[in-house]
Amino acid sequence: MTMKRVARATHVAGNSSAGKAGKREGWLSRRSFLGAGAAAAASGAIAANALADDGCPLCSLESSPVQLASAQQRKSELQKMTSGEVPSLISSADEVWAMSQTHQLTTHTRAAWELHRSVIDAAIAGGWENAAHPWIPERQAFYRYPLAFGSYAIPSLVMIDEGEYDNAVDCLRKSIYLIKENAAWNDWTRNKYGTDAVSRYNIMYKGHLNLMYGLYQMMTGDDQFEAEYQAMTDIIVKEYDYNKSERGFIGVECEPDQYFYPCNSVGMMSLLIHDKVFGTDYEDKYVMPNLDFLKQTMTDEELHLPYFRWHPTHGNAENFVFGDWWTLGMIHALDPDYYQVAFDNSKDLFITDIYDGQACYTKAALMTDGISTDMEQRTWIFYLPFCCREFDDPQTWSKIETFFQMKYETAVADDGELRFHDNTDDETMMEAYFFLGDVHQGWRAILDYDWPSFVSRHA
Amino acid sequence: MQLDTVKETPVSSTADEIWSMPDNENYTLDIWGHYRQMTDFIDVVNYLRFVLTDEDPTTAKYGQRALTWLGFAMPSLAYTAPSQTTDLSYFEHLVLSNAPSDYLVNKYSYYGSENVSAAQLALDAAFYRLISGRDTYDTREGSDDVLYGKVGFHELVDELKGVVEDNGQSAEGIPAIDTVRGRFEALPNLIAMMAFELHDRFFGTDYASMNADILDFVESNLRDDDTGLFYESYMTGRLGYEEEPLDSRSRWRTSELLPSVNALALVFYNHFNPEQAGRAWASFKERFGEELLGMTADDIATSFGKSFHTALGPSSEALFGALAAAREMDDEEWFGKLQDHLFEIGDVAMTEGQTHYRAFGDYEAYMGMFLTFARTHIPWKTLLENDWEASYSRNDSIMH
């Protein structure tokens, strides 16, 4: 079993054709929050970098007789961070937070948005194997998530700057085309979970699609996807009804017997948006009962942190907790006080300051102080800026953005797009998350926004 | 809320702390790392069930053996930390629903054995019944909730009984389970005997009445009288055609005593004949101790995919199996020596909350999974006498 991190991501500066991954073996393709780090370690891809104590703040992380390779490896990766100055962010938290008043995108936001558009346009124009931003087929199951979360940035983008309307709608429409494209879902059918990806289970896919449909119709008034949207929502609510009446739980599984908090949080948001668009009462009928079920079944009573997953056959929630900033960012609006507790605890448990609090890293697991290595998806570090925007936390946002800027040597290229000079193929389409992490206005603000007036202004 | 418990668990892998885990009802940090690795592996196999040959050819070839031995670890992990029992029942369920898949067996490998698979799956089914109290895998019938394959405890022990009877009535006249046609070994017979015993316990059947004859064959024909240790295999020359004649003078037995064979056999033999197992364990340490403690990382790294019984090979089975045997024999001193050596050569690291043995090469993850069993094993007698019903409905698994 070998795995070499030979591939670069699709938007490495000056290396636009280097997005092809080598043949990868290992436990890689579970989903965005599983496997890759384990595979890297399992395959021996992580070398034991025996670094001398160089004063790096991360040295103190190792307190175990068991060597913490994660810390060692990260020390190597972050040596430049120890020797250099902590850089100023391309755009500060103050600037990012001020966008809702200035109605001007910051430099970083503009660059992330331009790159995201470029990635989407390239896939539409040249297919998945396009020259500018080719995909990595081995990471097929990862693509639906940035397609979706990049789309969740679109309403906020136009709330900030209505001048972006045409480009925003174009990008969202294309993102829907792409997430409906076979490559974004056929891992489901290849794995023989069903002959199609939506009829039953797979809320991890159809929840996103349903939300994307909803956001598109909400902010455009365009009925291009309405028939599909209604059909998809109908599938989801019927599955809610069936699971409640026949199986005794509320919500929808991803794979059979695998019920995940985050994926249901997306399905729930999609139903709230459906209420906005069509005046249905799904909030009372499905969403709030689902929220109660999640709190009662798979949430830590004291910390309010979501547990990893729940299994209907055995009725057990695996009490594996992690920095689940996806879920917290998606579900906060449904019970702000309750999930504020969870967010605060998630920071206490999974975020550690470095450089005198100018930056932070995220822990790989509750039980260790070891830093997450190449498993950003596992700790969902990319969802943290979005979550900070949702919870109005510019301090933490600034720290994690500083970490990203240092780790990836982020810069704005001459063409105005963001560039990551030191990323790997583990960070699939990560610009979508940075884009969302800049513009997100909070789901309550999005839900309460006067979209009918907005639509009429752009009719 | 047991977060503080987890956070305060000392990070250690000394023998004493491993031995103390049941008293603490928690795992040490590096055993949690094994736990996380185990659950991640099972989850990925479960998710990728039909595309493993593309995604992970190693698991596609050796996944069943990796899973079945993880299945053997579940009762010990649950006994150690009873709050995890429901979660571990669930993972045993995933072992049983996935392990029979054709996609997890190298059908073209010499080391494939249907009888070994049947015995191991039967014991995993028994352990699922033991720790969950559920009947999901009692029979292959009514498999609505089972998605990927179907293990039936009743059917498996019946099949194994059929093997014993067939062999006993054939010209071989050996009432035991052959690993492959014409070849008999201790380990699969001992595993099947435990499955028979548990089936009788749960269902009031009489399969274990075969155990005396099976054990008599194993001890009479595969055991060295001087040391009490087992030889690897006993060959009858049987080809398997109808009315096949065999001359008992043509039978033969391997003549070398091997640490891999004995380490694994002792883990189970102790349950059936503790007195003789104790004698054999003393011989084992005397005869193989120096060899085991002199093994190098390269010895282990190249020892994979060369066994009927595990995903491992002779060297890794020997060292890792000896750890399990030391736990079964409640020999903390020797467990400590072996584990110290394991850590010395293994370049053990915790990455993403998972324990890895980086010096053991490309297959270290599979070795780590066998070590999940080996390092956490609780003597069978303790496990089988445990009051499992008290844990069936626990819903207080440790936050991790």
Tab-separated table of all heavy atoms in Angstrom, chain B residues 20-54:
chain	number	residue	atom	x	y	z
B	20	SER	N	-4.032	-2.516	33.696
B	20	SER	CA	-4.962	-1.773	34.556
B	20	SER	C	-6.171	-1.219	33.815
B	20	SER	O	-7.081	-0.673	34.444
B	20	SER	CB	-4.219	-0.583	35.209
B	20	SER	OG	-3.165	-1.048	36.002
B	21	MET	N	-6.181	-1.365	32.518
B	21	MET	CA	-7.270	-0.744	31.749
B	21	MET	C	-8.661	-1.181	32.218
B	21	MET	O	-9.555	-0.330	32.367
B	21	MET	CB	-7.110	-1.014	30.248
B	21	MET	CG	-5.948	-0.269	29.606
B	21	MET	SD	-5.989	-0.299	27.779
B	21	MET	CE	-5.990	-2.054	27.438
B	22	PRO	N	-8.893	-2.457	32.471
B	22	PRO	CA	-10.250	-2.838	32.919
B	22	PRO	C	-10.631	-2.184	34.245
B	22	PRO	O	-11.803	-1.839	34.458
B	22	PRO	CB	-10.172	-4.357	33.034
B	22	PRO	CG	-9.070	-4.748	32.098
B	22	PRO	CD	-8.065	-3.648	32.205
B	23	ASP	N	-9.664	-2.015	35.139
B	23	ASP	CA	-9.974	-1.345	36.405
B	23	ASP	C	-10.386	0.106	36.166
B	23	ASP	O	-11.236	0.656	36.870
B	23	ASP	CB	-8.763	-1.385	37.342
B	23	ASP	CG	-8.478	-2.790	37.829
B	23	ASP	OD1	-9.419	-3.618	37.834
B	23	ASP	OD2	-7.319	-3.069	38.176
B	24	ASN	N	-9.752	0.718	35.190
B	24	ASN	CA	-10.073	2.116	34.876
B	24	ASN	C	-11.281	2.248	33.957
B	24	ASN	O	-11.757	3.362	33.703
B	24	ASN	CB	-8.868	2.787	34.188
B	24	ASN	CG	-7.650	2.799	35.073
B	24	ASN	OD1	-7.766	2.878	36.299
B	24	ASN	ND2	-6.465	2.691	34.475
B	25	GLU	N	-11.716	1.116	33.411
B	25	GLU	CA	-12.805	1.111	32.427
B	25	GLU	C	-12.535	2.091	31.294
B	25	GLU	O	-13.415	2.806	30.810
B	25	GLU	CB	-14.158	1.393	33.092
B	25	GLU	CG	-14.560	0.331	34.088
B	25	GLU	CD	-16.028	0.391	34.466
B	25	GLU	OE1	-16.734	1.298	33.993
B	25	GLU	OE2	-16.465	-0.498	35.217
B	26	ASN	N	-11.306	2.121	30.873
B	26	ASN	CA	-10.904	3.037	29.805
B	26	ASN	C	-9.628	2.484	29.179
B	26	ASN	O	-8.967	1.627	29.750
B	26	ASN	CB	-10.677	4.436	30.379
B	26	ASN	CG	-10.852	5.518	29.329
B	26	ASN	OD1	-10.792	5.253	28.126
B	26	ASN	ND2	-11.067	6.737	29.780
B	27	TYR	N	-9.313	2.999	28.000
B	27	TYR	CA	-8.110	2.565	27.305
B	27	TYR	C	-6.997	3.585	27.513
B	27	TYR	O	-7.261	4.763	27.756
B	27	TYR	CB	-8.374	2.436	25.800
B	27	TYR	CG	-9.647	1.711	25.434
B	27	TYR	CD1	-10.606	2.323	24.630
B	27	TYR	CD2	-9.889	0.424	25.890
B	27	TYR	CE1	-11.775	1.671	24.284
B	27	TYR	CE2	-11.065	-0.244	25.550
B	27	TYR	CZ	-12.007	0.385	24.756
B	27	TYR	OH	-13.166	-0.257	24.427
B	28	THR	N	-5.795	3.125	27.361
B	28	THR	CA	-4.687	4.079	27.327
B	28	THR	C	-4.739	4.833	25.998
B	28	THR	O	-5.436	4.419	25.063
B	28	THR	CB	-3.332	3.366	27.457
B	28	THR	OG1	-3.223	2.413	26.391
B	28	THR	CG2	-3.199	2.656	28.790
B	29	LEU	N	-3.983	5.897	25.934
B	29	LEU	CA	-4.047	6.743	24.736
B	29	LEU	C	-3.711	5.955	23.474
B	29	LEU	O	-4.392	6.071	22.453
B	29	LEU	CB	-3.090	7.926	24.886
B	29	LEU	CG	-2.972	8.848	23.670
B	29	LEU	CD1	-4.325	9.437	23.298
B	29	LEU	CD2	-1.958	9.939	23.947
B	30	ASP	N	-2.646	5.162	23.535
B	30	ASP	CA	-2.273	4.471	22.298
B	30	ASP	C	-3.265	3.362	21.958
B	30	ASP	O	-3.418	3.014	20.784
B	30	ASP	CB	-0.839	3.954	22.340
B	30	ASP	CG	-0.599	3.029	23.490
B	30	ASP	OD1	-1.167	3.253	24.573
B	30	ASP	OD2	0.153	2.048	23.326
B	31	ILE	N	-3.954	2.816	22.939
B	31	ILE	CA	-5.008	1.855	22.615
B	31	ILE	C	-6.221	2.590	22.021
B	31	ILE	O	-6.869	2.096	21.097
B	31	ILE	CB	-5.417	1.037	23.858
B	31	ILE	CG1	-4.222	0.188	24.327
B	31	ILE	CG2	-6.624	0.148	23.556
B	31	ILE	CD1	-3.712	-0.816	23.305
B	32	TRP	N	-6.502	3.779	22.511
B	32	TRP	CA	-7.519	4.596	21.830
B	32	TRP	C	-7.112	4.826	20.380
B	32	TRP	O	-7.947	4.863	19.472
B	32	TRP	CB	-7.707	5.942	22.537
B	32	TRP	CG	-8.774	5.946	23.575
B	32	TRP	CD1	-8.609	6.133	24.919
B	32	TRP	CD2	-10.183	5.769	23.375
B	32	TRP	NE1	-9.821	6.069	25.560
B	32	TRP	CE2	-10.813	5.839	24.639
B	32	TRP	CE3	-10.968	5.533	22.255
B	32	TRP	CZ2	-12.188	5.700	24.810
B	32	TRP	CZ3	-12.341	5.387	22.417
B	32	TRP	CH2	-12.938	5.480	23.689
B	33	GLY	N	-5.821	5.007	20.171
B	33	GLY	CA	-5.338	5.162	18.799
B	33	GLY	C	-5.614	3.925	17.959
B	33	GLY	O	-5.955	4.020	16.775
B	34	HIS	N	-5.454	2.749	18.565
B	34	HIS	CA	-5.825	1.506	17.872
B	34	HIS	C	-7.328	1.462	17.610
B	34	HIS	O	-7.776	1.041	16.544
B	34	HIS	CB	-5.432	0.291	18.724
B	34	HIS	CG	-3.998	-0.102	18.587
B	34	HIS	ND1	-3.480	-0.604	17.422
B	34	HIS	CD2	-2.974	-0.092	19.473
B	34	HIS	CE1	-2.188	-0.875	17.588
B	34	HIS	NE2	-1.855	-0.569	18.829
B	35	TYR	N	-8.066	1.854	18.602
B	35	TYR	CA	-9.540	1.838	18.488
B	35	TYR	C	-9.978	2.710	17.324
B	35	TYR	O	-10.796	2.317	16.493
B	35	TYR	CB	-10.128	2.346	19.805
B	35	TYR	CG	-11.638	2.310	19.925
B	35	TYR	CD1	-12.270	1.301	20.642
B	35	TYR	CD2	-12.439	3.301	19.359
B	35	TYR	CE1	-13.658	1.265	20.775
B	35	TYR	CE2	-13.812	3.273	19.486
B	35	TYR	CZ	-14.420	2.260	20.205
B	35	TYR	OH	-15.792	2.237	20.331
B	36	ARG	N	-9.417	3.904	17.264
B	36	ARG	CA	-9.784	4.829	16.190
B	36	ARG	C	-9.384	4.271	14.828
B	36	ARG	O	-10.105	4.413	13.837
B	36	ARG	CB	-9.117	6.183	16.430
B	36	ARG	CG	-9.623	6.928	17.663
B	36	ARG	CD	-10.846	7.752	17.329
B	36	ARG	NE	-10.514	8.740	16.309
B	36	ARG	CZ	-10.109	9.982	16.572
B	36	ARG	NH1	-10.005	10.392	17.812
B	36	ARG	NH2	-9.824	10.822	15.607
B	37	GLN	N	-8.209	3.667	14.778
B	37	GLN	CA	-7.760	3.072	13.519
B	37	GLN	C	-8.697	1.940	13.105
B	37	GLN	O	-9.079	1.812	11.941
B	37	GLN	CB	-6.334	2.542	13.686
B	37	GLN	CG	-5.758	1.920	12.427
B	37	GLN	CD	-4.460	1.201	12.712
B	37	GLN	OE1	-4.343	0.437	13.663
B	37	GLN	NE2	-3.458	1.470	11.891
B	38	MET	N	-9.063	1.136	14.081
B	38	MET	CA	-9.956	0.013	13.821
B	38	MET	C	-11.303	0.483	13.280
B	38	MET	O	-11.789	-0.014	12.253
B	38	MET	CB	-10.177	-0.776	15.120
B	38	MET	CG	-11.243	-1.850	15.021
B	38	MET	SD	-11.585	-2.658	16.606
B	38	MET	CE	-12.643	-1.452	17.401
B	39	THR	N	-11.895	1.431	13.972
B	39	THR	CA	-13.227	1.865	13.548
B	39	THR	C	-13.168	2.568	12.194
B	39	THR	O	-14.073	2.430	11.372
B	39	THR	CB	-13.874	2.784	14.598
B	39	THR	OG1	-13.014	3.900	14.847
B	39	THR	CG2	-14.107	2.038	15.898
B	40	ASP	N	-12.103	3.283	11.945
B	40	ASP	CA	-11.948	3.949	10.660
B	40	ASP	C	-11.827	2.917	9.543
B	40	ASP	O	-12.458	3.044	8.480
B	40	ASP	CB	-10.715	4.849	10.690
B	40	ASP	CG	-10.797	5.971	9.672
B	40	ASP	OD1	-11.917	6.429	9.390
B	40	ASP	OD2	-9.739	6.391	9.176
B	41	PHE	N	-11.028	1.895	9.772
B	41	PHE	CA	-10.840	0.843	8.765
B	41	PHE	C	-12.162	0.127	8.472
B	41	PHE	O	-12.543	-0.059	7.318
B	41	PHE	CB	-9.801	-0.163	9.252
B	41	PHE	CG	-9.655	-1.359	8.349
B	41	PHE	CD1	-8.969	-1.259	7.148
B	41	PHE	CD2	-10.193	-2.588	8.694
B	41	PHE	CE1	-8.846	-2.361	6.305
B	41	PHE	CE2	-10.068	-3.695	7.865
B	41	PHE	CZ	-9.389	-3.574	6.668
B	42	ILE	N	-12.845	-0.258	9.522
B	42	ILE	CA	-14.116	-0.971	9.336
B	42	ILE	C	-15.099	-0.081	8.585
B	42	ILE	O	-15.816	-0.527	7.689
B	42	ILE	CB	-14.697	-1.408	10.696
B	42	ILE	CG1	-13.805	-2.486	11.318
B	42	ILE	CG2	-16.122	-1.929	10.537
B	42	ILE	CD1	-14.201	-2.872	12.740
B	43	ASP	N	-15.108	1.186	8.945
B	43	ASP	CA	-16.025	2.125	8.299
B	43	ASP	C	-15.718	2.259	6.817
B	43	ASP	O	-16.628	2.280	5.977
B	43	ASP	CB	-15.920	3.477	9.001
B	43	ASP	CG	-16.874	4.493	8.408
B	43	ASP	OD1	-18.079	4.214	8.391
B	43	ASP	OD2	-16.408	5.547	7.958
B	44	VAL	N	-14.450	2.356	6.484
B	44	VAL	CA	-14.077	2.525	5.085
B	44	VAL	C	-14.397	1.264	4.288
B	44	VAL	O	-14.917	1.325	3.170
B	44	VAL	CB	-12.584	2.893	4.964
B	44	VAL	CG1	-12.145	2.851	3.515
B	44	VAL	CG2	-12.340	4.268	5.545
B	45	VAL	N	-14.093	0.107	4.863
B	45	VAL	CA	-14.438	-1.145	4.182
B	45	VAL	C	-15.937	-1.203	3.934
B	45	VAL	O	-16.401	-1.573	2.849
B	45	VAL	CB	-13.983	-2.356	5.019
B	45	VAL	CG1	-14.567	-3.650	4.455
B	45	VAL	CG2	-12.465	-2.439	5.038
B	46	ASN	N	-16.686	-0.813	4.934
B	46	ASN	CA	-18.142	-0.837	4.826
B	46	ASN	C	-18.625	0.114	3.735
B	46	ASN	O	-19.538	-0.196	2.971
B	46	ASN	CB	-18.748	-0.449	6.170
B	46	ASN	CG	-20.262	-0.525	6.172
B	46	ASN	OD1	-20.816	-1.564	5.843
B	46	ASN	ND2	-20.920	0.556	6.535
B	47	TYR	N	-17.989	1.259	3.650
B	47	TYR	CA	-18.412	2.267	2.675
B	47	TYR	C	-18.027	1.876	1.254
B	47	TYR	O	-18.791	2.073	0.315
B	47	TYR	CB	-17.783	3.611	3.037
B	47	TYR	CG	-18.133	4.729	2.088
B	47	TYR	CD1	-19.437	5.191	1.989
B	47	TYR	CD2	-17.160	5.311	1.299
B	47	TYR	CE1	-19.763	6.203	1.126
B	47	TYR	CE2	-17.473	6.333	0.430
B	47	TYR	CZ	-18.771	6.782	0.344
B	47	TYR	OH	-19.088	7.794	-0.518
B	48	LEU	N	-16.835	1.329	1.103
B	48	LEU	CA	-16.307	1.054	-0.235
B	48	LEU	C	-16.508	-0.387	-0.660
B	48	LEU	O	-15.832	-0.854	-1.571
B	48	LEU	CB	-14.805	1.362	-0.264
B	48	LEU	CG	-14.413	2.819	-0.141
B	48	LEU	CD1	-12.909	2.955	-0.091
B	48	LEU	CD2	-14.960	3.617	-1.324
B	49	ARG	N	-17.438	-1.037	-0.065
B	49	ARG	CA	-17.513	-2.492	-0.166
B	49	ARG	C	-17.342	-3.050	-1.554
B	49	ARG	O	-16.684	-4.055	-1.749
B	49	ARG	CB	-18.845	-2.943	0.415
B	49	ARG	CG	-20.044	-2.281	-0.246
B	49	ARG	CD	-21.168	-2.102	0.739
B	49	ARG	NE	-22.198	-1.283	0.188
B	49	ARG	CZ	-23.377	-1.738	-0.242
B	49	ARG	NH1	-23.666	-3.003	-0.123
B	49	ARG	NH2	-24.256	-0.921	-0.741
B	50	PHE	N	-17.870	-2.421	-2.562
B	50	PHE	CA	-17.825	-3.025	-3.886
B	50	PHE	C	-16.720	-2.458	-4.780
B	50	PHE	O	-16.572	-2.911	-5.903
B	50	PHE	CB	-19.172	-2.873	-4.584
B	50	PHE	CG	-20.252	-3.677	-3.933
B	50	PHE	CD1	-21.346	-3.063	-3.370
B	50	PHE	CD2	-20.146	-5.059	-3.850
B	50	PHE	CE1	-22.344	-3.802	-2.761
B	50	PHE	CE2	-21.135	-5.808	-3.243
B	50	PHE	CZ	-22.239	-5.183	-2.695
B	51	VAL	N	-16.036	-1.498	-4.318
B	51	VAL	CA	-14.999	-0.921	-5.166
B	51	VAL	C	-13.624	-1.039	-4.541
B	51	VAL	O	-12.688	-0.391	-4.960
B	51	VAL	CB	-15.292	0.561	-5.497
B	51	VAL	CG1	-16.534	0.663	-6.352
B	51	VAL	CG2	-15.442	1.390	-4.247
B	52	LEU	N	-13.504	-1.898	-3.546
B	52	LEU	CA	-12.217	-2.012	-2.867
B	52	LEU	C	-11.112	-2.465	-3.806
B	52	LEU	O	-9.953	-2.099	-3.636
B	52	LEU	CB	-12.330	-2.990	-1.698
B	52	LEU	CG	-12.776	-2.352	-0.390
B	52	LEU	CD1	-13.158	-3.424	0.608
B	52	LEU	CD2	-11.675	-1.472	0.177
B	53	THR	N	-11.462	-3.278	-4.770
B	53	THR	CA	-10.403	-3.763	-5.649
B	53	THR	C	-9.742	-2.612	-6.378
B	53	THR	O	-8.569	-2.678	-6.722
B	53	THR	CB	-10.967	-4.766	-6.660
B	53	THR	OG1	-12.142	-4.214	-7.248
B	53	THR	CG2	-11.310	-6.077	-5.988
B	54	ASP	N	-10.503	-1.559	-6.636
B	54	ASP	CA	-9.909	-0.388	-7.269
B	54	ASP	C	-9.252	0.525	-6.242
B	54	ASP	O	-8.155	1.024	-6.447
B	54	ASP	CB	-10.988	0.422	-8.002
B	54	ASP	CG	-11.564	-0.356	-9.165
B	54	ASP	OD1	-10.839	-1.201	-9.725
B	54	ASP	OD2	-12.727	-0.126	-9.499
